[in-house]
Amino acid sequence: MNNTFKASYAVLALVVSSALNADVLPSYQTNSAWYTDAQNSINKKLNSNNQFKAKNVIIFVGDGMGVSTLTAARILQGQQAGNNGEEGYLSFETFPHTALVKTYNVDAQTPDSAGTMTAMMSGLKTDVGVIGVDEDIVRGDCSTVAGNEVVSALELAEIKGLSTGIVSTARITHATPAATFAKSADRNWEDISDMPEDAVTGGCKDIADQLVNFEANLEARFKGVDVNGIEVVMGGGRRHFLPKDASFNSSDAVSEVEGDRTDERDLTAEWQSQYSNGVYVMDQAGFDAINTESTERVMGLFNESHMQYEADRQNDIAGEPSIAEMTSKAIDILDNNDQGFFLMVESGRIDHGHHAGSAYNALTDTIALSDAVKAAVEKTDPNETLILVTADHGHVFTIAGYPKRGNPILGKVVGIGSDKPATASDGLPYTTLGYTNGNGMHDLGSETNADAGYSEEINAGRQDLTNVDTTASGFHQEALIPMSSETHSGEDIALHAQGPGAQLVQGVVEQSVVFHLIEQSLDLIQE
């Protein structure tokens, strides 16, 4: 059989095969939503952008957003819309490319955010609790920082002339956002009052100081480099920028003395003096007033500590923008640069909701992140913007039992064919969602602040939930092992991607690969 005949035969066989398949499969199968949705999913992957180079990169990090969190959040989102829930998707779960990411730190099987985010921002893994440095450092030892600093994707983007931005619902000096710009022997050195005396005298700078002086620090490290500094900084953590003096309190301060700094410095004022073209805001009104066409840079510090949980945001004294609003405004400012931009957006309070044992808060913040990703997709061109959505680690959060389809994800398990809660071997009902460890069950009714649970005594182990509304915002799930705070988990997390270079997101990868995806897409390292 010659090659021409072989080729013709192959084409004919494919046509015959397709015809046979069309005839063999019944219409109720091929017309089923399950069938057509799956085929559309495959077609989307086949037709996805084949370009590898991007003008912009946006990376979203759902802190603590493990796979079980994604599943439960998508179900809750669907049920809030009046559907069964299981059939839905979070906005980024429809992206054409997905990978699983290994999260361990160099010295830890179950990681923390400092080590994991450093891996994503620098391309190498490091130890628990250290930021922007390699594994050769000794945590808490200032003298080991020099010579072990790593370069972050945000720093490389600045050097290339791109605009840069950092958005977080946590303190902007917290581990995940800090890993984009800081070098620290300890993630807890958020301001000078958090540092031991030997670290201060040894020349190490606190994380808030490093943020305000980012431009000067980067230029000092790389002689001949001229950068213009981070254009967008939005998040919480105002206390780390203000002196420990009540006269500097903001209008929405909740502490008698809002600031923590013991060096008498007001870093918000220092930032404004450095950038006469910059706008400093601290509430919703100030945020809303920003003109994104004319504003060159913004520092927004919207809370003394972390920003509010999404469910509790309406209770903020001065008002706080949502993560979707911050993302949209950041993009509107950053895309004024024709060369492109790099933006990191963290939903930090997913993690805090889980630590507090509140699935309601963790899932509500996950849905808010999904809304932020949707906003970013709508504001950018998929042919020029790579969007990555991932987590730094997961939590010991489970979806268990055998609830029937559409059973409230926050509710008690009700089995298939039943309308009454199932009971365990101890005769008590149980919830679909639960934690392996943590503070345990609390029934706080309509409370929307997950952290309120910390004022309660640890209540781990089995509880009688017969007369408890487990779907209420103030309900905290049962936990098996008593601990003051629920812990991270060590399993893989997901990475979703669309845009130029997204097709490289596949398989099971080390967390450090995320940096290389960003770098190759933006060509940050010039040969």
Side-chain angles (χ1 to χ4, degrees), residues 25 62 93 130 140 147 199 221 282 291 297 348 363 370 406 452 503 519:
L25 295 177
E93 292 182 315
V130 300
R221 286 174 60 207
M282 49 74 62
N291 183 327
R297 69 183 68 236
L363 301 183
S370 176
Q503 55 272 61
E519 188 282 317

Side-chain angles (χ1 to χ4, degrees), residues 65-79 84-90 92-93 354 363 366-367 397-400 409 432-433 494 496:
M65 190 175 70
V67 173
S68 57
T69 300
L70 295 176
T71 304
R74 90 167 70 104
I75 294 173
L76 179 60
Q77 175 182 259
Q79 291 179 344
N84 281 328
E86 296 88 354
E87 70 287 349
Y89 295 91
L90 298 171
F92 50 87
E93 292 182 315
H354 279 318
L363 301 183
T366 301
I367 295 170
F397 174 65
T398 61
I399 306 172
I409 190 65
T432 302
L433 304 179
H496 304 271

